[in-house]
């Protein structure tokens, strides 16, 4: 976005929503690089800001390689998804924009090619936000889901470019009163091209909504990847994969669509993970101020079907998140104790709240540490100075960028430089393993594989994913904190193809690569 913190003179909704970021090993050297999605300045003449790619120098620094790599788009960008859509071993980039998304194919030599038109994913002339890759039909190729926000004409903005009154605050006009746009769903044909199945799949059988966040997960444990969409000021959607190429929306039926009082909320970032070790994944959604961050506890094991309980206050995150406006929302193990914690990236969308409400436009981010079964405790103040930074944050992307065994966080801030939060080296009782999955019959990234790890009398179960948060793509390696346990008994991988691999006694405290059907 443009430089300098937003002011009341920034009158467009486009200018305050913020952009995303991705961790991607674009050159295949085993060290994750950074892709930053920038917007532009509609009033500027001449060269515009561009999205940027930074190569990891392996010493804690990064070098801008945007021009050499050929990924410096100057479109008004928002989100980014990473996935090896053609299974050639190189991670590709899908960048969402205001009117005109882009697919960059990794050439394998440090450069990318714009294959948007040839791949058939450039027919989305909408304002897109988050996107994600996942194999919804288990054919070994990654499909693509794109959330779209609302109909917005920058040449004729709402309110004739003026400001509107929202909750007694002068603010950019929208989204209220503007038409929501339907999402877009592409099926990978397996030959480098995609087919738009938005209508045929059933995802457009529901009303169009202001889509902002999306994840792909097997939320009902039936072996098929489902889709969860966080909508702004609409019920959230849970599209159940029926296994026949179609989906049915069951969010309201399953209790994962509304607040604890039955109200629509302003869903933005979203993630899902198995918190209590029962093999059923909970859902986390970032929301607007005075709504709380939503924690949907998965109680399906007790009833044998899809069943979520809105349990934010029971989980200890309700009161603490109530004043904040949350974009990035992610489960991760911050201290390698084997339990998943929560990070929330916060910042308001209305610059004029600064000095009127607390917190204002710029806000601090929040870290909740695991404090028991489905319980968390806010510990931001005691977890380092990086969590005291106050900005208008949006995306949060997670990765072990220095390969030291702890998860780091890259936070995107509106109109300011990103914040890179480095996690300290693990202590003697904070062992770990990071597993890189390489598919053969399954997709090359192993997206959708389920990893079960047994160590020290405990069992962890994680689904291989790169999505989660808001407009972001994360570390492709699946990270497990092991606490004081330094010996791993067994790792079992259930691949999307149906292949089952068992690895006995893999080493701890390192990154391990497992190939489908092999070592």
């Amino acid at each position: 976005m443009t430089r300098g913190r937003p002011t009341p003179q920034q009158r467009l909704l486009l200018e305050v929503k913020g952009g995303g970021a991705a961790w991607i090993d674009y050159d295949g050297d085993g060290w994750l690089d950074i892709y930053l999605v920038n917007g532009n300045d509609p009033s500027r003449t001449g060269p515009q800001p561009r999205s940027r790619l930074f190569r990891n120098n392996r010493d804690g620094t990064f070098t801008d390689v945007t021009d050499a790599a050929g990924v410096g788009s100057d479109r008004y960008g928002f989100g980014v998804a990473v996935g090896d859509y053609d299974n050639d071993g190189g991670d590709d980039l899908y960048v969402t924009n205001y009117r005109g998304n882009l697919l960059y194919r990794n050439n394998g030599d440090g450069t990318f090619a714009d294959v948007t038109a040839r791949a058939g994913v450039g027919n989305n002339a909408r304002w897109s936000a988050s996107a994600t890759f996942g194999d919804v039909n288990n054919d070994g190729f990654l499909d693509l889901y794109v959330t779209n926000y609302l109909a917005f004409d920058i040449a004729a903005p709402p309110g004739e470019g003026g400001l509107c009154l929202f909750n007694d605050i002068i603010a950019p006009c929208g989204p209220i009163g503007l038409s929501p746009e339907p999402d877009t769903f592409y099926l990978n044909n397996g030959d480098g091209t995609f087919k738009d199945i938005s209508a045929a799949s059933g995802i457009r059988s529901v009303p169009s909504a202001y889509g902002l966040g999306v994840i792909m997960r097997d939320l009902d444990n039936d072996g098929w990847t489902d889709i969860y969409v966080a909508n702004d000021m609409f019920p959230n959607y849970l599209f159940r994969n029926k296994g026949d190429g179609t989906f049915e929306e069951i969010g309201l039926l399953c209790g994962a669509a509304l607040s604890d009082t039955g109200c629509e909320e302003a869903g933005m970032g979203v993630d899902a993970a198995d918190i209590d070790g029962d093999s059923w994944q909970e859902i986390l959604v970032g929301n607007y101020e005075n709504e709380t961050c939503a924690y949907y506890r998965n109680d399906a094991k007790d009833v044998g079907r899809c069943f979520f309980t809105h349990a934010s206050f029971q989980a200890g995150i309700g009161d603490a998140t109530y004043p904040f406006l949350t974009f990035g929302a992610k489960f991760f193990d911050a201290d390698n104790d084997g339990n998943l914690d929560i990070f929330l990236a916060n910042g308001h969308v209305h610059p004029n709240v600064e000095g009127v409400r607390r917190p204002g436009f710029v806000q601090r981010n929040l870290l909740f540490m695991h404090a028991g079964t489905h319980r968390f405790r806010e510990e931001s103040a005691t977890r380092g100075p990086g969590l005291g930074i106050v900005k208008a944050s949006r995306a949060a992307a997670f990765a072990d960028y220095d390969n030291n065994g702890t998860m780091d966080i890259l936070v995107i801030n509106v109109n300011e430089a990103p914040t890179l939060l480095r996690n300290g080296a693990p202590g003697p009782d904070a062992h770990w393993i990071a597993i890189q999955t390489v598919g053969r019959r399954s997709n090359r990234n192993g997206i959708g594989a389920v990893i079960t790890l047994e160590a020290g009398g405990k069992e962890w179960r994680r689904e291989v994913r790169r999505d989660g948060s808001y407009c972001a793509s994360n570390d492709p390696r699946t990270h497990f904190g092991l606490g004081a346990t330094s010996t791993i008994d067994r790792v079992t991988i259930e691949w999307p193809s149906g292949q089952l691999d068992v690895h006995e006694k893999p080493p701890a405290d390192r990154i391990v690569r497992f190939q489908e059907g092999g070592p």
Side-chain angles (χ1 to χ4, degrees), residues 27 238 335 362:
D27 54 1
L238 171 52
D335 56 0
V362 295

Side-chain angles (χ1 to χ4, degrees), residues 374-409:
H374 296 295
R375 291 287 302 173
F376 300 87
R377 181 174 53 248
E378 205 258 301
E379 297 187 8
S380 310
T382 63
R383 295 286 174 168
L387 294 175
I389 295 172
V390 179
K391 296 187 177 183
S393 297
R394 297 295 185 257
F398 295 71
D400 181 7
Y401 82 90
D402 50 4
N403 289 344
N404 73 341
T406 56
M407 296 299 290
D408 312 298
I409 311 172

Side-chain angles (χ1 to χ4, degrees), residues 82-87 89-92 133 140 142 435-440 442-449 464-466 476-478 495-496 514:
V82 177
D84 185 358
Y85 80 92
D86 54 0
N87 290 339
D91 279 341
D92 311 300
F133 285 104
L142 292 176
I435 297 175
Q436 180 180 2
T437 49
V438 181
R440 286 177 170 167
S442 302
N443 65 85
R444 182 65 178 257
N445 293 147
I447 299 297
V464 179
R465 291 293 171 187
R466 302 185 77 147
R477 305 165 299 194
T478 304
W495 297 88
F514 289 134

Side-chain angles (χ1 to χ4, degrees), residues 46-378:
Q48 290 281 359
R50 299 181 299 153
S51 296
R52 297 282 181 175
L53 177 65
F54 293 88
R55 186 186 64 233
N56 192 330
N57 296 326
R58 311 184 196 181
D59 59 2
T61 68
F62 294 80
T63 298
D64 189 334
V65 294
T66 307
D67 291 336
V71 290
S73 168
D74 63 356
R75 297 187 184 184
Y76 209 114
F78 284 93
V80 56
V82 177
D84 185 358
Y85 80 92
D86 54 0
N87 290 339
D88 66 351
D91 279 341
D92 311 300
L93 283 165
Y94 186 79
V95 184
T96 66
N97 301 292
Y98 167 67
R99 291 187 172 177
N101 301 335
L102 294 167
L103 177 61
Y104 292 110
R105 179 184 177 273
N106 193 326
N107 294 323
D109 59 1
T111 68
F112 291 78
D114 182 347
V115 296
T116 311
R118 178 160 60 88
V121 291
N123 59 340
N124 189 9
R126 297 182 168 93
W127 174 355
S128 298
S130 296
T132 182
F133 285 104
D135 186 357
V136 299
N137 57 357
N138 293 339
D139 68 346
F141 291 92
L142 292 176
D143 311 301
L144 176 64
Y145 191 99
V146 183
T147 62
N148 297 313
Y149 192 47
L150 52 77
F152 190 93
D153 186 351
I154 201 168
E160 297 180 349
L163 296 171
C164 295
L165 188 66
F166 184 79
N167 288 348
D168 298 323
I169 294 292
I170 299 296
C173 296
I176 292 176
L178 303 181
S179 299
E181 290 274 31
D183 293 343
T184 308
F185 191 12
Y186 297 104
L187 189 73
N188 194 325
N189 295 321
D191 60 0
T193 68
F194 291 79
K195 178 183 180 181
D196 189 334
I197 59 167
S198 305
S201 65
I203 68 153
R204 289 192 177 169
S205 63
V206 297
S208 299
Y210 303 129
L212 284 177
V214 62
I215 54 172
M216 287 189 179
R217 299 286 193 282
D218 182 4
L219 292 171
D220 55 3
N221 289 342
D222 66 351
W224 297 96
T225 295
D226 309 303
I227 303 167
Y228 186 90
V229 180
N231 293 316
D232 186 3
M233 306 179 75
F234 271 80
N236 298 325
Y237 290 148
L238 171 52
F239 294 105
R240 176 183 172 270
N241 191 333
K242 297 167 67 175
D244 61 0
T246 66
F247 292 74
E248 60 177 337
E249 203 290 302
I250 57 172
L252 188 61
L253 176 67
C254 294
L258 302 172
S259 73
D260 56 343
T261 58
C263 296
E264 301 166 349
E265 297 186 298
M268 287 166 278
V270 58
D271 195 25
D274 176 11
I275 299 301
D276 57 358
D278 67 353
S279 299
W280 296 86
Q281 297 184 62
E282 280 66 48
I283 299 174
L284 180 71
V285 182
N287 289 313
Y288 198 76
E289 64 176 359
N290 301 335
E291 290 182 342
T292 82
C293 185
Y295 180 81
Y296 296 104
R297 187 181 67 228
N298 196 332
D299 293 326
K301 68 173 182 177
D302 298 325
V303 295
R305 59 181 174 82
C306 174
F307 189 84
F308 290 90
T309 302
H310 191 292
S312 298
F313 287 99
Q314 299 93 315
I317 68 172
D319 288 327
T321 61
Y322 190 76
F324 292 87
L325 196 157
T326 299
F327 277 86
K330 191 85 171 70
F331 293 118
F332 78 120
D333 189 347
D335 56 0
N336 283 2
D337 68 349
N339 299 306
L340 291 176
D341 312 299
I342 294 173
F343 180 86
L344 305 176
N346 303 313
H348 215 288
V349 293
H350 303 324
N352 281 303
V353 302
E354 194 66 42
V356 177
R357 297 182 188 169
R358 297 182 63 185
F361 182 78
V362 295
Q363 302 180 2
R364 64 185 178 91
N365 300 321
L366 298 174
L367 176 65
F368 291 86
M369 302 301 293
H370 184 273
T373 303
H374 296 295
R375 291 287 302 173
F376 300 87
R377 181 174 53 248
E378 205 258 301

